[in-house]
Amino acid sequence: VTAKLGCKNAIFPLLEASNISSDNLEEFSEPIKEYADYAAKQNVSILLETLLSSEDLFYFLESLNHPNVQCVFDTGNRVQQSKSLSNEIKLLGQYIKHVHIKDKDSSGENVILGTGLVNFYEVFKALYEINYSGPFVFETTRGNDPVSTVNFHMNICKFFYDEARNK
């Protein structure tokens, strides 16, 4: 179905009820490889979105050793797991094919970009350093005025995107 819709990527959100963890990694290996083999024939990539530590995710992707399996980097989810998104991005670099832009506060709530824990300059600088050229998708709060909020989010990302490239 993904290929028939013209999609190039299928995101597998291995979260919540389908959570992948360091304890159950092996259970996911064969099913993901099977999906990846099928998807490759359709020219569709499988992108894993997980809450694994960057080290565990890197290990898992390496152990899969499948050119058609990469990952989603979600700034809001990752900031809950790590003090350095830059280090995570650099470790996962070759595998990052899709980025979710989101900010969270210390209680894990989605917040307006720039008001939470994510250092967007650090994120865009690291993405620049790994030559990331894939899509960015906002998974942000709407605020009181969704149009005004999206304009703010676009501007803050453009600012940090430009700053990261000019230093």
Side-chain angles (χ1 to χ4, degrees):
V1 171
T2 306
K4 288 180 183 177
L5 293 173
C7 299
K8 301 285 185 211
N9 300 312
I11 296 175
F12 284 28
L14 301 177
L15 312 163
E16 298 168 2
S18 302
N19 192 46
I20 188 171
S21 70
S22 58
D23 296 329
N24 67 5
L25 283 175
E26 299 309 316
E27 295 171 32
F28 284 84
S29 292
E30 286 309 312
I32 288 172
K33 284 181 184 178
E34 288 178 28
Y35 283 117
D37 287 341
Y38 176 77
K41 292 175 189 169
Q42 310 300 316
N43 199 28
V44 173
S45 294
I46 302 297
L47 307 182
L48 307 180
E49 182 175 11
T50 80
L51 296 177
L52 288 169
S53 71
S54 57
E55 293 83 6
D56 284 345
L57 180 55
F58 181 82
Y59 162 78
F60 185 61
L61 292 167
E62 287 280 302
S63 70
L64 288 174
N65 192 28
H66 199 294
N68 202 45
V69 180
Q70 293 94 25
C71 70
V72 173
F73 191 88
D74 185 308
T75 60
N77 292 347
R78 300 307 314 163
V79 79
Q80 297 294 109
Q81 308 293 318
S82 175
K83 300 249 188 269
S84 177
L85 296 185
S86 177
N87 288 344
E88 289 208 354
I89 290 167
K90 290 173 187 175
L91 175 63
L92 295 169
Q94 68 192 29
Y95 293 111
I96 299 173
K97 299 298 178 203
H98 188 90
V99 174
H100 288 168
I101 300 294
K102 177 170 35 183
D103 205 353
K104 289 192 175 189
D105 64 18
S106 59
S107 65
E109 294 297 316
N110 287 0
V111 295
I112 302 287
L113 297 186
T115 65
L117 302 173
V118 175
N119 179 331
F120 285 99
Y121 174 75
E122 174 186 289
V123 166
F124 283 107
K125 179 102 173 110
L127 290 168
Y128 174 72
E129 290 173 4
I130 66 162
N131 296 312
Y132 177 76
S133 61
F136 295 96
V137 174
F138 287 110
E139 285 194 331
T140 56
T141 182
R142 296 179 189 187
N144 293 326
D145 176 355
V147 172
S148 178
T149 304
V150 75
N151 286 330
F152 175 76
H153 287 165
M154 295 282 290
N155 286 329
I156 197 168
C157 286
K158 183 179 180 338
F159 174 81
F160 286 118
Y161 181 89
D162 292 343
E163 281 292 303
R165 281 155 175 67
N166 293 323
K167 292 221 176 190

